[in-house]
Amino acid sequence: MTVDLVVPPGAGWIGEVPAGQRLRITDLYGNQAVDTLLYDAHDYANRYSAVDTIREQGSLYLTTGSRLLSVDGDVLATIVEDTCGRHDTVGGACAKESNVVRYGMSTRHQHACRTTFLRQIALWGDGLTKRDLTHNINFFMNVPLTPAGGLTFEDGVSAPGKYVELRAERDILLLISNCPQINNPCNGYDPTPISLTDFAP
Amino acid sequence: MALPETVQDVPGAASWSLVVPRGRAIRLEALGDNACVSTLLYAAADPLERLNIPDTLKAQMSACIRPPLVLMSDLGRALCSVTGSSLDWHDAITGHSLDRHVTGRFGPSDYATNGRTLGLDRRDLHATVNWFVKVAPDGAGSLAWQEHSTAGDWVTVRAEQDVLVVLATAPHPLDPTPDWAPAGVRVTVGPAEAPGPDDPSRTFRAESARALEAVAR
């Protein structure tokens, strides 16, 4: 085991997961959104694509068996276990700017996921910049879209100890922000820690 | 003096780009049935600021693009307002066609190269608006492409800042039509009525108004 750590809300993690390795993300206290991006470790432009993942599998939500596809149509990772049952990839990440749009100027200086993403890729280096941030996965988050065209942020379907496990299908770079959002139910208005644990193939 | 109206017909399976100044109106009219006009938007002043579909949808609580939504950038600023349409649903969650969708079924095309002529590359691609397309979920989240639009359907948007518009008219990847008949689109750019305080996009939601205010500052 090379990764076994707890990530507090507002913090993040970036690291390589070799092909075949499994990585478990555990929602330790329940109702915690985990904003996640994946990249081909050898070609960062071949990155996770939410819209290709949704379209090619004909499904809005991610769960066991979902293949997480890249912009080139490659399978970056597969969800091999999921005790939560539903994960979002439509809602994107919170940012200070979108917080202002959604909740007003008083939230301008609250911490947000894009800040964590930018900090993590700056620490990682290797040429990654804001251009490399794209529409992400929100593990444990529940954003139903309706047949009539509506969208809502619902209370999470997750609970303490629920987990999702990814298997890397090629060498990937994984970027995680444990969401600090306090203005909507995605974290139950109380962001909490998650854990990351990997397992050798 | 106001700029004159310009009209450009873009054939099916082609691509085009244009810079539209703040305050101008863009009208897209489908020239065939089941058109798909996949569209990317950037701030012309700095294309690092670009359309953000997740932010646009979640701020306005919508699963699709329709009037009077404001199309928002990743910096929380309005790029365009959707001012009218003959359709109440334009897809934004299933992305654009890739070469492999088209080439495998119909042979090679060059619709995907327009961004490159502008110095953009695949890191600058993001979720598109697919005008005239409906891919709707059922209650469980399964998605289905629907027969949705016919020749003559239209949509109008107003540029809220100077925007770079990149569009492609390749068929939607989920369009099951076996024959190669991609629809073209007529792109008309002309003067727009200045939005007043009671503009439907401004009064739609507080979030829409804040994104518009962010470009007025």
Side-chain angles (χ1 to χ4, degrees):
Chain A
M1 207 150 58
T2 55
V3 178
D4 185 18
L5 54 100
V6 170
V7 181
W13 183 80
I14 189 168
E16 288 182 348
V17 182
Q21 187 115 331
R22 293 162 72 118
L23 186 122
R24 179 181 294 188
I25 305 169
T26 304
D27 184 2
L28 294 171
Y29 297 89
N31 280 358
Q32 178 58 32
V34 182
D35 292 48
T36 302
L37 285 167
L38 305 87
Y39 304 84
D40 181 329
H42 306 290
D43 175 10
Y44 295 152
N46 189 25
R47 64 194 182 196
Y48 175 70
S49 170
V51 289
D52 289 276
T53 296
I54 288 170
R55 184 192 63 243
E56 292 300 310
Q57 295 170 95
S59 178
L60 277 175
Y61 311 116
L62 305 177
T63 186
T64 307
S66 295
R67 292 165 292 128
L68 308 180
L69 302 182
S70 74
V71 290
D72 288 349
D74 298 315
V75 184
L76 297 172
T78 305
I79 298 180
V80 289
E81 278 196 63
D82 175 20
T83 63
C84 175
R86 174 190 275 199
H87 308 270
D88 165 72
T89 192
V90 170
C94 60
K96 295 183 181 211
E97 293 81 359
S98 66
N99 278 346
V100 169
V101 169
R102 297 174 75 195
Y103 309 112
M105 194 56 91
S106 65
T107 61
R108 177 62 181 83
H109 300 290
Q110 291 178 2
H111 193 59
C113 281
R114 184 163 63 191
T115 319
T116 299
F117 281 156
L118 288 168
R119 175 172 164 73
Q120 292 296 324
I121 61 175
L123 291 170
W124 187 255
D126 226 354
L128 287 171
T129 71
K130 174 175 173 288
R131 282 174 85 203
D132 298 290
L133 299 182
T134 183
H135 316 311
N136 54 286
I137 299 168
N138 294 300
F139 287 117
F140 310 113
M141 197 164 98
N142 185 21
V143 183
L145 304 190
T146 70
L151 173 151
T152 53
F153 271 66
E154 298 285 332
D155 200 0
V157 288
S158 190
K162 299 266 188 188
Y163 65 85
V164 62
E165 203 166 299
L166 308 180
R167 182 181 63 222
E169 302 296 357
R170 55 177 57 203
D171 298 342
I172 59 172
L173 179 68
L174 195 65
L175 172 59
I176 284 175
S177 166
N178 190 14
C179 183
Q181 180 63 260
I182 54 174
N183 300 292
N184 72 48
C186 71
N187 302 321
Y189 299 96
D190 179 23
T192 50
I194 57 162
S195 68
L196 303 177
T197 315
D198 72 355
F199 303 91
Chain B
M1 201 175 87
L3 293 165
E5 185 175 274
T6 64
V7 181
Q8 174 79 37
D9 283 354
V10 180
S15 62
W16 203 44
S17 61
L18 63 162
V19 172
V20 179
R22 172 184 170 93
R24 298 275 280 171
I26 309 166
R27 184 178 196 272
L28 304 177
E29 180 183 339
L31 299 176
D33 297 345
N34 293 324
C36 175
V37 182
S38 297
T39 300
L40 299 165
L41 298 174
Y42 305 85
D46 179 5
L48 195 55
E49 178 181 1
R50 68 257 330 253
L51 176 65
N52 189 302
I53 288 294
D55 286 357
T56 296
L57 295 180
K58 71 187 177 191
Q60 296 169 103
M61 296 296 180
S62 181
C64 59
I65 303 301
R66 51 191 159 84
L69 264 67
V70 173
L71 302 176
M72 298 177 186
S73 79
D74 66 314
L75 297 184
R77 301 179 346 127
L79 288 162
C80 295
S81 296
V82 186
T83 48
S85 181
S86 59
L87 298 167
D88 64 356
W89 189 300
H90 299 270
D91 171 68
I93 58 170
T94 58
H96 56 279
S97 274
L98 305 173
D99 273 342
R100 64 191 154 81
H101 293 118
V102 177
T103 307
R105 291 170 65 195
F106 305 115
S109 74
D110 72 346
Y111 78 89
T113 56
N114 199 283
R116 288 192 181 278
T117 64
L118 304 165
L120 303 173
D121 69 25
R122 57 186 175 152
R123 294 198 300 161
D124 298 300
L125 297 174
H126 49 261
T128 53
V129 180
N130 297 320
W131 301 110
F132 309 114
V133 172
K134 183 171 186 178
V135 181
D138 65 14
S142 286
L143 291 165
W145 181 92
Q146 300 182 12
E147 288 268 354
H148 184 53
S149 68
T150 55
D153 275 317
W154 59 274
V155 60
T156 54
V157 305
R158 181 178 59 231
E160 301 292 358
Q161 55 173 301
D162 297 350
V163 288
L164 167 63
V165 182
V166 179
L167 57 85
T169 51
H172 188 272
L174 299 178
D175 181 347
T177 311
D179 302 321
W180 177 249
V185 63
R186 175 161 298 165
V187 183
T188 306
V189 179
E193 252 181 69
D198 59 346
D199 183 71
S201 296
R202 186 171 294 274
T203 57
F204 178 49
R205 294 181 60 92
E207 293 90 337
S208 319
R210 283 193 285 259
L212 289 165
E213 284 158 17
V215 281
R217 279 198 283 270

